[in-house]
Amino acid sequence: MRLGILGSGSGSNMQAILDAIADGSLDAEIAIVLSDNPDAYILERARKAGIPTGLIDCRGFKTKYPLEVQAETAAALLKAEVDLVCLAGFMRLVKSPLMAVFPGRIINIHPSLLPAFPGLHAWKQALEQGVSESGCTVHYVDAGIDTGPIILQAKVPVLPDDTAESLHERIQVEEHRLYPEAIRIVASRL
Ligand code: GRF
């Protein structure tokens, strides 16, 4: 199974997927890594691993993901013969030009127990709400924000002395275990 990974940041989840492939626990290949941020460390990690990379040129828009750019992304993924698109810290909203090309084949990882705390800084939202438990979710991407069908979740306790950073760090440990496992599940359904 050929994976296309879209990310905007550090790429630790991409690394976890790569590690799972390397240790034989995930039967897949990362065909391409695309980022909307030329300085994102995810691109550096991919280059170091010899994985083809590409830039998503959002024409100077900070958060918008123009539809024609989404069509370009779809074309790049198709050219790389991608079977499954994995969003890993990708900060733009995927819409129909991309979704129509990969129906039921785009998944995302989110740092909360969805449907709780969709959107940005979910771990901060959890802390501010005073919940005793948060976690992470891998889900199919649909037209909403972090609303698609859930594939897998992992719980993480919120500790009394947690800061936003310490909670996010512990959630990420679970993310790195969860994402490769969720990809295995999705692959078995394709
Ligand atoms: C993760 O916490 C993920 O849940 C969220 O963005 C973060 C990406 O981290 N969507 P990384 O770039 O994989 O290190």
Side-chain angles (χ1 to χ4, degrees):
M1 191 181 48
R2 290 173 67 80
L3 308 175
I5 302 203
L6 270 53
S8 308
S10 106
S12 68
N13 279 286
M14 190 279 288
Q15 188 68 54
I17 294 166
L18 204 54
D19 293 347
I21 293 169
D23 74 18
S25 59
L26 178 62
D27 185 15
E29 185 185 338
I30 301 182
I32 193 164
V33 172
L34 299 174
S35 180
D36 57 327
N37 172 8
D39 301 321
Y41 190 52
I42 191 170
L43 290 174
E44 183 65 28
R45 289 186 199 260
R47 281 192 288 261
K48 274 189 196 151
I51 298 166
T53 60
L55 206 57
I56 299 172
D57 175 5
C58 287
R59 317 287 198 262
F61 288 107
K62 277 230 159 64
T63 55
K64 195 172 151 188
Y65 191 8
L67 298 187
E68 80 265 21
V69 180
Q70 301 212 19
E72 289 172 10
T73 306
L77 292 167
L78 282 176
K79 195 171 167 215
E81 297 178 9
V82 162
D83 302 302
L84 180 68
V85 181
C86 303
L87 309 185
F90 188 59
M91 299 307 285
R92 297 186 193 245
L93 209 56
V94 170
K95 289 193 188 140
S96 78
L98 191 43
M99 284 205 302
V101 176
F102 292 95
R105 287 171 181 254
I106 306 180
I107 63 176
N108 180 44
I109 185 148
H110 182 79
S112 77
L113 293 175
L114 290 172
F117 313 128
L120 289 178
H121 307 306
W123 60 92
K124 258 191 211 160
Q125 297 182 48
L127 210 58
E128 281 162 12
Q129 289 294 310
V131 294
S132 61
E133 190 172 70
S134 191
C136 49
T137 303
V138 180
H139 64 95
Y140 289 100
V141 171
D142 69 5
I145 298 179
D146 304 320
T147 51
I150 290 169
I151 301 157
L152 262 188
Q153 292 187 305
K155 291 177 179 172
V156 173
V158 179
L159 304 178
D161 57 350
D162 255 335
T163 61
E165 290 71 33
S166 66
L167 179 58
H168 189 212
E169 234 170 71
R170 289 205 321 289
I171 289 174
Q172 284 226 290
V173 172
E174 285 305 302
E175 288 185 347
H176 299 158
R177 187 184 59 75
L178 203 70
Y179 215 168
E181 204 180 324
I183 293 170
R184 271 195 298 275
I185 292 174
V186 172
S188 73
R189 293 173 182 165
L190 287 180

